[in-house]
Amino acid sequence: MIFGPVPSRRLGFSLGVNNIPPKECSYTCVYCQLGNTLKLSHIRKEYYSTEQIVNAVKEHIAKLGDSVKIDYITFVPDGEPTLDINLGRTISALKNLGIPIAVITNSSLIDIEEVRNELSAADWVSVKVDAVDKQIWHEVDRPHGSLDLDKILNGLLEFSGRFKGKLVTETMLVKGINDTEKNFSQVSAFIKKFNPDKAYITIPTRPPAVGSVLPPDITALNNAYQIFKENNLDVELITGYEGNAFSSTGDFAEDLLNITAVHPMREEAVIELMKKENSDEEVLNKLLKSNRLIKSKYNGKTYYLRNLKFERANSQ
Ligand code: SF4
């Protein structure tokens, strides 16, 4: 029920709370890394009592000892956390421990006022926005038949208007389903309406529920990033390679790969970094030749991205 803490780029050291049995969800996303949904449901109910979860968290923390750092207690279950009718009570009880609370939700029940109220008590909430077009939403997230996308999108806008914590979005891209420029424009324009602290673009990195699901091509990934940026969103890629865009090692090749795993870089910025780190074009060309780095054009400009296909092939 409790695991970690695990290092997370978004949350630092995150202690996971699994408040839903495997795998009960309101969606059956084609890319779900937990496999197919075993119970598709949109009705909230009790799975564990608040006391059970709070006691489990306390016991887990006690076992870890004082030296273990925990930045967030995160609801990240084997299903959709807001299906848990005790979520609000449990968040309030856990807040007494003095550790910030995070919830990663697929947003499907956010049209329900109690769900919005309960999530408002958290310190950090991640909401999923894979598509704002109904057909694409059905194809990628395969929702429970009773769910209504318009209501969900309105619920998201209402929630964002009142939430005082950190709000981030997550958009998972799947090749051939939601990786078109039209979808990127629609999704980013919608997300811009509530301007989250961060808009993350993610791709499937572990075996998906549907075997044929593939991540988007590098060009589509770069297009998505650039279109989100054009909508003035603070966007970052999550591609399975946790680049550290914020610390410089002084090694041009390593820094370039780290940054471009998260932020595609314009050619001019790459040259600037190269000069700053006293490197030369030979290093850059080597990365391109060995396929670790890849060039992609968007609107006449050249961008460099870390080549995820190369990384995947070499990590297997
Ligand atoms: S919402 Fe999350 S848990 Fe549910 S099917 Fe989609 S990816 Fe899996």
Side-chain angles (χ1 to χ4, degrees), residues 23-35 37 77-80 105-106 128 141:
K23 190 208 139 179
E24 199 157 326
C25 194
S26 45
Y27 283 177
T28 326
C29 302
V30 289
Y31 56 74
C32 185
Q33 64 185 38
L34 303 169
T37 295
D78 293 339
E80 169 49 32
T105 171
N106 67 14
K128 186 191 290 295
D141 293 342

PDB file of all heavy atoms in Angstrom, residues 23-35 37 77-80 105-106 128 141, ligand 1:
ATOM      1  N   LYS A  23      -6.464  -3.479 -10.814  1.00  0.00           N
ATOM      2  CA  LYS A  23      -6.271  -2.163 -11.363  1.00  0.00           C
ATOM      3  C   LYS A  23      -7.660  -1.639 -11.673  1.00  0.00           C
ATOM      4  O   LYS A  23      -8.276  -2.035 -12.646  1.00  0.00           O
ATOM      5  CB  LYS A  23      -5.422  -2.275 -12.653  1.00  0.00           C
ATOM      6  CG  LYS A  23      -4.947  -0.956 -13.217  1.00  0.00           C
ATOM      7  CD  LYS A  23      -4.762  -1.088 -14.705  1.00  0.00           C
ATOM      8  CE  LYS A  23      -5.282   0.152 -15.387  1.00  0.00           C
ATOM      9  NZ  LYS A  23      -5.106   0.084 -16.830  1.00  0.00           N
ATOM     10  N   GLU A  24      -8.139  -0.801 -10.787  1.00  0.00           N
ATOM     11  CA  GLU A  24      -9.481  -0.267 -10.916  1.00  0.00           C
ATOM     12  C   GLU A  24      -9.353   1.177 -11.387  1.00  0.00           C
ATOM     13  O   GLU A  24      -8.686   1.989 -10.742  1.00  0.00           O
ATOM     14  CB  GLU A  24     -10.194  -0.337  -9.560  1.00  0.00           C
ATOM     15  CG  GLU A  24     -11.678  -0.247  -9.716  1.00  0.00           C
ATOM     16  CD  GLU A  24     -12.428  -0.862  -8.523  1.00  0.00           C
ATOM     17  OE1 GLU A  24     -11.949  -1.852  -7.933  1.00  0.00           O
ATOM     18  OE2 GLU A  24     -13.491  -0.323  -8.198  1.00  0.00           O
ATOM     19  N   CYS A  25      -9.947   1.474 -12.501  1.00  0.00           N
ATOM     20  CA  CYS A  25      -9.760   2.799 -13.082  1.00  0.00           C
ATOM     21  C   CYS A  25     -10.989   3.195 -13.890  1.00  0.00           C
ATOM     22  O   CYS A  25     -11.784   2.344 -14.294  1.00  0.00           O
ATOM     23  CB  CYS A  25      -8.508   2.801 -13.961  1.00  0.00           C
ATOM     24  SG  CYS A  25      -7.970   4.477 -14.386  1.00  0.00           S
ATOM     25  N   SER A  26     -11.118   4.491 -14.115  1.00  0.00           N
ATOM     26  CA  SER A  26     -12.208   5.017 -14.931  1.00  0.00           C
ATOM     27  C   SER A  26     -11.804   5.070 -16.403  1.00  0.00           C
ATOM     28  O   SER A  26     -12.617   5.367 -17.265  1.00  0.00           O
ATOM     29  CB  SER A  26     -12.574   6.412 -14.439  1.00  0.00           C
ATOM     30  OG  SER A  26     -11.382   7.146 -14.218  1.00  0.00           O
ATOM     31  N   TYR A  27     -10.525   4.839 -16.651  1.00  0.00           N
ATOM     32  CA  TYR A  27      -9.991   4.801 -18.018  1.00  0.00           C
ATOM     33  C   TYR A  27      -9.342   3.439 -18.268  1.00  0.00           C
ATOM     34  O   TYR A  27      -8.967   2.736 -17.320  1.00  0.00           O
ATOM     35  CB  TYR A  27      -8.900   5.867 -18.194  1.00  0.00           C
ATOM     36  CG  TYR A  27      -9.372   7.296 -18.369  1.00  0.00           C
ATOM     37  CD1 TYR A  27      -8.432   8.327 -18.465  1.00  0.00           C
ATOM     38  CD2 TYR A  27     -10.712   7.643 -18.462  1.00  0.00           C
ATOM     39  CE1 TYR A  27      -8.818   9.652 -18.635  1.00  0.00           C
ATOM     40  CE2 TYR A  27     -11.109   8.962 -18.634  1.00  0.00           C
ATOM     41  CZ  TYR A  27     -10.158   9.963 -18.718  1.00  0.00           C
ATOM     42  OH  TYR A  27     -10.529  11.264 -18.882  1.00  0.00           O
ATOM     43  N   THR A  28      -9.169   3.148 -19.550  1.00  0.00           N
ATOM     44  CA  THR A  28      -8.366   1.985 -19.967  1.00  0.00           C
ATOM     45  C   THR A  28      -7.379   2.492 -20.995  1.00  0.00           C
ATOM     46  O   THR A  28      -7.402   2.073 -22.151  1.00  0.00           O
ATOM     47  CB  THR A  28      -9.247   0.910 -20.667  1.00  0.00           C
ATOM     48  OG1 THR A  28     -10.527   0.923 -20.072  1.00  0.00           O
ATOM     49  CG2 THR A  28      -8.648  -0.454 -20.588  1.00  0.00           C
ATOM     50  N   CYS A  29      -6.527   3.399 -20.596  1.00  0.00           N
ATOM     51  CA  CYS A  29      -5.624   4.043 -21.559  1.00  0.00           C
ATOM     52  C   CYS A  29      -4.834   2.994 -22.351  1.00  0.00           C
ATOM     53  O   CYS A  29      -4.325   2.031 -21.756  1.00  0.00           O
ATOM     54  CB  CYS A  29      -4.640   4.952 -20.835  1.00  0.00           C
ATOM     55  SG  CYS A  29      -5.451   6.224 -19.866  1.00  0.00           S
ATOM     56  N   VAL A  30      -4.710   3.234 -23.645  1.00  0.00           N
ATOM     57  CA  VAL A  30      -3.990   2.258 -24.474  1.00  0.00           C
ATOM     58  C   VAL A  30      -2.530   2.136 -24.041  1.00  0.00           C
ATOM     59  O   VAL A  30      -1.900   1.115 -24.247  1.00  0.00           O
ATOM     60  CB  VAL A  30      -4.053   2.605 -25.984  1.00  0.00           C
ATOM     61  CG1 VAL A  30      -5.433   2.381 -26.543  1.00  0.00           C
ATOM     62  CG2 VAL A  30      -3.559   4.019 -26.255  1.00  0.00           C
ATOM     63  N   TYR A  31      -2.011   3.202 -23.428  1.00  0.00           N
ATOM     64  CA  TYR A  31      -0.590   3.222 -23.071  1.00  0.00           C
ATOM     65  C   TYR A  31      -0.333   2.820 -21.620  1.00  0.00           C
ATOM     66  O   TYR A  31       0.803   2.852 -21.161  1.00  0.00           O
ATOM     67  CB  TYR A  31      -0.002   4.622 -23.302  1.00  0.00           C
ATOM     68  CG  TYR A  31      -0.739   5.715 -22.559  1.00  0.00           C
ATOM     69  CD1 TYR A  31      -0.606   5.886 -21.197  1.00  0.00           C
ATOM     70  CD2 TYR A  31      -1.600   6.568 -23.246  1.00  0.00           C
ATOM     71  CE1 TYR A  31      -1.301   6.877 -20.516  1.00  0.00           C
ATOM     72  CE2 TYR A  31      -2.299   7.568 -22.587  1.00  0.00           C
ATOM     73  CZ  TYR A  31      -2.143   7.715 -21.216  1.00  0.00           C
ATOM     74  OH  TYR A  31      -2.834   8.688 -20.554  1.00  0.00           O
ATOM     75  N   CYS A  32      -1.393   2.440 -20.879  1.00  0.00           N
ATOM     76  CA  CYS A  32      -1.220   2.214 -19.437  1.00  0.00           C
ATOM     77  C   CYS A  32      -0.122   1.190 -19.162  1.00  0.00           C
ATOM     78  O   CYS A  32      -0.133   0.090 -19.711  1.00  0.00           O
ATOM     79  CB  CYS A  32      -2.531   1.753 -18.799  1.00  0.00           C
ATOM     80  SG  CYS A  32      -2.363   1.616 -17.006  1.00  0.00           S
ATOM     81  N   GLN A  33       0.793   1.561 -18.310  1.00  0.00           N
ATOM     82  CA  GLN A  33       1.905   0.660 -18.011  1.00  0.00           C
ATOM     83  C   GLN A  33       1.544  -0.367 -16.942  1.00  0.00           C
ATOM     84  O   GLN A  33       2.345  -1.232 -16.614  1.00  0.00           O
ATOM     85  CB  GLN A  33       3.125   1.452 -17.595  1.00  0.00           C
ATOM     86  CG  GLN A  33       2.902   2.209 -16.311  1.00  0.00           C
ATOM     87  CD  GLN A  33       4.064   3.097 -15.953  1.00  0.00           C
ATOM     88  OE1 GLN A  33       4.675   3.707 -16.813  1.00  0.00           O
ATOM     89  NE2 GLN A  33       4.371   3.153 -14.676  1.00  0.00           N
ATOM     90  N   LEU A  34       0.320  -0.250 -16.407  1.00  0.00           N
ATOM     91  CA  LEU A  34      -0.127  -1.222 -15.397  1.00  0.00           C
ATOM     92  C   LEU A  34      -0.892  -2.372 -16.043  1.00  0.00           C
ATOM     93  O   LEU A  34      -1.447  -3.219 -15.351  1.00  0.00           O
ATOM     94  CB  LEU A  34      -1.030  -0.528 -14.373  1.00  0.00           C
ATOM     95  CG  LEU A  34      -0.435   0.670 -13.642  1.00  0.00           C
ATOM     96  CD1 LEU A  34      -1.506   1.416 -12.866  1.00  0.00           C
ATOM     97  CD2 LEU A  34       0.675   0.221 -12.702  1.00  0.00           C
ATOM     98  N   GLY A  35      -0.974  -2.352 -17.369  1.00  0.00           N
ATOM     99  CA  GLY A  35      -1.731  -3.394 -18.068  1.00  0.00           C
ATOM    100  C   GLY A  35      -3.179  -2.972 -18.239  1.00  0.00           C
ATOM    101  O   GLY A  35      -3.548  -1.833 -17.945  1.00  0.00           O
ATOM    102  N   THR A  37      -7.123  -2.428 -17.677  1.00  0.00           N
ATOM    103  CA  THR A  37      -7.940  -2.164 -16.497  1.00  0.00           C
ATOM    104  C   THR A  37      -8.746  -3.422 -16.172  1.00  0.00           C
ATOM    105  O   THR A  37      -9.421  -3.980 -17.040  1.00  0.00           O
ATOM    106  CB  THR A  37      -8.874  -0.965 -16.790  1.00  0.00           C
ATOM    107  OG1 THR A  37      -8.043   0.182 -16.967  1.00  0.00           O
ATOM    108  CG2 THR A  37      -9.858  -0.721 -15.673  1.00  0.00           C
ATOM    109  N   PRO A  77      -1.711   5.479  -7.302  1.00  0.00           N
ATOM    110  CA  PRO A  77      -2.074   4.066  -7.144  1.00  0.00           C
ATOM    111  C   PRO A  77      -2.094   3.268  -8.448  1.00  0.00           C
ATOM    112  O   PRO A  77      -1.845   3.814  -9.518  1.00  0.00           O
ATOM    113  CB  PRO A  77      -3.488   4.161  -6.577  1.00  0.00           C
ATOM    114  CG  PRO A  77      -4.042   5.407  -7.158  1.00  0.00           C
ATOM    115  CD  PRO A  77      -2.885   6.358  -7.326  1.00  0.00           C
ATOM    116  N   ASP A  78      -2.448   2.002  -8.302  1.00  0.00           N
ATOM    117  CA  ASP A  78      -2.626   1.117  -9.462  1.00  0.00           C
ATOM    118  C   ASP A  78      -4.030   1.314 -10.021  1.00  0.00           C
ATOM    119  O   ASP A  78      -4.792   0.358 -10.203  1.00  0.00           O
ATOM    120  CB  ASP A  78      -2.475  -0.352  -9.037  1.00  0.00           C
ATOM    121  CG  ASP A  78      -1.060  -0.663  -8.613  1.00  0.00           C
ATOM    122  OD1 ASP A  78      -0.152   0.086  -8.998  1.00  0.00           O
ATOM    123  OD2 ASP A  78      -0.867  -1.649  -7.888  1.00  0.00           O
ATOM    124  N   GLY A  79      -4.405   2.544 -10.252  1.00  0.00           N
ATOM    125  CA  GLY A  79      -5.746   2.870 -10.730  1.00  0.00           C
ATOM    126  C   GLY A  79      -5.948   4.369 -10.555  1.00  0.00           C
ATOM    127  O   GLY A  79      -4.972   5.114 -10.453  1.00  0.00           O
ATOM    128  N   GLU A  80      -7.199   4.817 -10.502  1.00  0.00           N
ATOM    129  CA  GLU A  80      -7.462   6.256 -10.398  1.00  0.00           C
ATOM    130  C   GLU A  80      -7.707   6.644  -8.931  1.00  0.00           C
ATOM    131  O   GLU A  80      -8.676   6.177  -8.310  1.00  0.00           O
ATOM    132  CB  GLU A  80      -8.676   6.614 -11.280  1.00  0.00           C
ATOM    133  CG  GLU A  80      -9.230   7.995 -11.086  1.00  0.00           C
ATOM    134  CD  GLU A  80      -8.178   9.120 -11.103  1.00  0.00           C
ATOM    135  OE1 GLU A  80      -7.176   9.000 -11.800  1.00  0.00           O
ATOM    136  OE2 GLU A  80      -8.378  10.102 -10.368  1.00  0.00           O
ATOM    137  N   THR A 105      -3.777  12.429 -10.882  1.00  0.00           N
ATOM    138  CA  THR A 105      -5.114  11.962 -11.270  1.00  0.00           C
ATOM    139  C   THR A 105      -5.298  12.013 -12.785  1.00  0.00           C
ATOM    140  O   THR A 105      -4.668  12.830 -13.463  1.00  0.00           O
ATOM    141  CB  THR A 105      -6.220  12.809 -10.581  1.00  0.00           C
ATOM    142  OG1 THR A 105      -7.488  12.475 -11.133  1.00  0.00           O
ATOM    143  CG2 THR A 105      -6.013  14.296 -10.761  1.00  0.00           C
ATOM    144  N   ASN A 106      -6.212  11.165 -13.282  1.00  0.00           N
ATOM    145  CA  ASN A 106      -6.518  11.236 -14.714  1.00  0.00           C
ATOM    146  C   ASN A 106      -7.596  12.276 -14.999  1.00  0.00           C
ATOM    147  O   ASN A 106      -8.016  12.414 -16.142  1.00  0.00           O
ATOM    148  CB  ASN A 106      -6.900   9.848 -15.260  1.00  0.00           C
ATOM    149  CG  ASN A 106      -8.224   9.323 -14.701  1.00  0.00           C
ATOM    150  OD1 ASN A 106      -9.003  10.060 -14.106  1.00  0.00           O
ATOM    151  ND2 ASN A 106      -8.479   8.044 -14.911  1.00  0.00           N
ATOM    152  N   LYS A 128      -4.466  14.947 -16.016  1.00  0.00           N
ATOM    153  CA  LYS A 128      -4.195  14.418 -17.355  1.00  0.00           C
ATOM    154  C   LYS A 128      -5.036  15.144 -18.397  1.00  0.00           C
ATOM    155  O   LYS A 128      -6.248  15.292 -18.226  1.00  0.00           O
ATOM    156  CB  LYS A 128      -4.563  12.923 -17.349  1.00  0.00           C
ATOM    157  CG  LYS A 128      -4.198  12.180 -18.629  1.00  0.00           C
ATOM    158  CD  LYS A 128      -4.826  10.796 -18.679  1.00  0.00           C
ATOM    159  CE  LYS A 128      -4.276   9.783 -17.711  1.00  0.00           C
ATOM    160  NZ  LYS A 128      -2.887   9.443 -17.960  1.00  0.00           N
ATOM    161  N   ASP A 141      -7.703   7.260 -24.293  1.00  0.00           N
ATOM    162  CA  ASP A 141      -7.947   6.997 -22.861  1.00  0.00           C
ATOM    163  C   ASP A 141      -9.015   5.929 -22.624  1.00  0.00           C
ATOM    164  O   ASP A 141      -9.152   5.446 -21.489  1.00  0.00           O
ATOM    165  CB  ASP A 141      -8.367   8.297 -22.147  1.00  0.00           C
ATOM    166  CG  ASP A 141      -7.232   9.312 -22.091  1.00  0.00           C
ATOM    167  OD1 ASP A 141      -6.079   8.892 -22.276  1.00  0.00           O
ATOM    168  OD2 ASP A 141      -7.503  10.507 -21.868  1.00  0.00           O
TER     169      ASP A 141
HETATM  170  S1  SF4 B   1      -5.678   6.628 -16.060  1.00  0.00           S
HETATM  171 FE1  SF4 B   1      -3.701   5.927 -15.397  1.00  0.00          FE
HETATM  172  S2  SF4 B   1      -4.109   3.989 -14.328  1.00  0.00           S
HETATM  173 FE2  SF4 B   1      -5.954   4.490 -15.475  1.00  0.00          FE
HETATM  174  S3  SF4 B   1      -5.724   3.366 -17.393  1.00  0.00           S
HETATM  175 FE3  SF4 B   1      -4.912   5.434 -17.726  1.00  0.00          FE
HETATM  176  S4  SF4 B   1      -2.729   5.312 -17.307  1.00  0.00           S
HETATM  177 FE4  SF4 B   1      -3.688   3.459 -16.439  1.00  0.00          FE
END
